[in-house]
Amino acid sequence: MERSLLGARVATYVYFVLCGTLMGAWVVHIPAVEERVGVSHATLGGLLVLLGLGAFAGMQVAGPLTDRLGARVVVPATGVLCGAALVLPGLAHDPWTLAGALLVFGFCNGGLDVSMNAHAVHVEKAYGRPVMSGFHATFSVGGVLAALVAAGATAAGAGPVVTLAGVGAVSIVIALASARVLMPAGPAAGETGAGDAARESSPAAGRRGTAGLVWLLAVLALMVMLCEGAANDWSALHLKDVLGASTSTAAFAYGTFAAAMTTGRLLADRLGARFGSMAILRHGAAMAAVGITLVALGPWLWTAFAGWALFGLGLSGCVPQLFSAAGHADPAAAGANVSRVAGLGYVGMLAGPAVIGWLTHVVALNHAFVLLTLLCVTTAVGAGVLRTGSTPTPRSEMAGTGH
């Protein structure tokens, strides 16, 4: 394996860990920031929407910029900005300053998220085999690192501002140090395939076809990430409120889901190389449908844990396949296409908890999960859209000598 390509892959892992660490550092400090600012849970919930809106905006800006300037410029730039913005929520002293801090941090984090995914698409294209799911698995590793750092800092008596500033400063150094081994701007030579040639022979038809495919992928991402968002916020409450589990036992529901997600993403690339991305999406969504149905209808704790595990395992490979397909649909516009899929998916992630919450006014919480079953089944049926997407094609070497 060419050393420069291996370096680009390692750097991509680094940025995914970095993004997960930065977001995780904020998440683990939410209670401390809430107390410092003096807002209620309800007010904080409203303010967190601004984090999502900022991330969505950052994705739409960073995607086209990555296509124009290249990942080697945009990925480290957004990494530096995200590291610098991390301390802002810790410095907030009232709801207004916290709102501004979350908007800025969300914008920077969304930019980093999309630009590193766009770069991951080009790395995967160069390898000629699936590697995207492995990148997404390392994002979760970043969250674990953030929790460990926060626990250690708290034990040492460090406050949120010091910890967030420290994590941000280290992140800036890492973002800059990893930049030089990223792939050069634009899709490298040899990345064009039959689909690209067809677009060149008929540009207008090619653009329309690609746009239609990307929006179909975005709709599927919305449904899958809505399911993820619902699991993040309601899994523990399901065990506690519906099955009568203790608070400590209920916490393991989300832990089971998250562990299954991480495990599945570590396996998905190998399975994708053997069976194809469509099979990963279709069978994964079907498995998730079985899992969440078990959660919705099972009356025992063991069925709940089994259901959340199947749900996480099934969903684990879905989002990486959709992001990858969006990027490969047109390598020259990978950033813009990934930003559309990620942006609409992020809307689903934010909407999931709210949609389930609204349904609980009509039906019991566990019965509200039937909606997630329907979304997973719809995703499985719609997985055939991946047949029309581009697939990675191997290259013997990377273009350019900038490494």
Side-chain angles (χ1 to χ4, degrees):
M1 179 60 62
E2 187 181 346
R3 184 172 298 178
S4 57
L5 180 54
L6 179 60
R9 184 181 183 184
V10 172
T12 309
Y13 281 125
V14 170
Y15 282 108
F16 269 80
V17 173
L18 188 67
C19 188
T21 302
L22 289 167
M23 179 56 72
W26 151 244
V27 169
V28 298
H29 282 95
I30 286 178
V33 171
E34 181 185 44
E35 183 179 356
R36 172 189 170 91
V37 176
V39 295
S40 65
H41 293 332
T43 301
L44 179 64
L47 291 172
L48 288 175
V49 173
L50 294 175
L51 180 72
L53 291 176
F56 181 84
M59 290 174 181
Q60 306 316 304
V61 172
L65 273 181
T66 304
D67 296 330
R68 181 177 301 178
L69 303 177
R72 190 181 285 177
V73 173
V74 180
V75 174
T78 52
V80 168
L81 291 174
C82 195
L86 179 62
V87 73
L88 297 180
L91 295 173
H93 54 80
D94 58 42
W96 292 105
T97 54
L98 181 57
L102 292 178
L103 195 62
V104 172
F105 177 64
F107 182 90
C108 297
N109 189 267
L112 175 58
D113 195 319
V114 159
S115 60
M116 70 185 188
N117 270 287
H119 182 260
V121 167
H122 291 306
V123 171
E124 183 176 64
K125 190 86 169 179
Y127 266 82
R129 59 183 173 84
V131 295
M132 181 68 81
S133 294
F135 293 138
H136 281 250
T138 57
F139 180 90
S140 302
V141 173
V144 174
L145 288 176
L148 293 174
V149 169
T154 301
V161 174
V162 173
T163 306
L164 293 174
V167 172
V170 172
S171 298
I172 290 172
V173 173
I174 293 174
L176 292 173
S178 304
R180 65 184 182 86
V181 293
L182 293 175
M183 294 178 70
E191 283 193 5
T192 56
D196 302 304
R199 279 190 290 276
E200 290 173 6
S201 64
S202 179
R207 284 193 297 270
R208 286 194 298 271
T210 298
L213 170 63
V214 169
W215 284 115
L216 285 174
L217 295 171
V219 171
L220 292 176
L222 183 146
M223 291 190 290
V224 170
M225 293 180 73
L226 189 151
C227 292
E228 287 188 30
N232 290 343
D233 282 31
W234 291 104
S235 53
L237 286 171
H238 163 252
L239 259 71
K240 186 174 184 296
D241 294 349
V242 176
L243 299 180
S246 66
T247 301
S248 58
T249 300
F252 281 105
Y254 174 71
T256 299
F257 171 79
M261 284 276 289
T262 303
T263 301
R265 284 178 172 171
L266 291 172
L267 299 173
D269 286 333
R270 186 180 298 273
L271 294 173
R274 181 172 182 180
F275 300 108
S277 59
M278 185 183 69
I280 296 297
L281 181 60
R282 174 162 290 162
H283 296 297
M287 180 187 295
V290 172
I292 197 62
T293 301
L294 194 60
V295 170
L297 304 180
W300 303 292
L301 285 176
W302 72 265
T303 55
F305 282 117
W308 286 119
L310 284 175
F311 193 51
L313 196 61
L315 292 178
S316 61
C318 294
V319 168
Q321 308 311 312
L322 296 170
F323 282 17
S324 179
H328 293 307
D330 183 359
N337 290 337
V338 170
S339 72
R340 294 186 183 103
V341 175
L344 200 57
Y346 207 84
V347 170
M349 179 78 78
L350 294 173
V355 170
I356 296 298
W358 179 81
L359 285 176
T360 59
H361 293 292
V362 183
V363 297
L365 174 58
N366 56 321
H367 296 154
F369 291 150
V370 173
L371 171 65
L372 307 184
T373 300
L374 296 177
L375 293 178
C376 290
V377 170
T378 303
T379 300
V381 172
V385 70
L386 292 187
R387 280 198 182 122
T388 62
S390 305
T391 56
T393 53
R395 297 191 293 114
S396 59
E397 59 180 353
M398 293 173 63
T401 58
H403 299 291

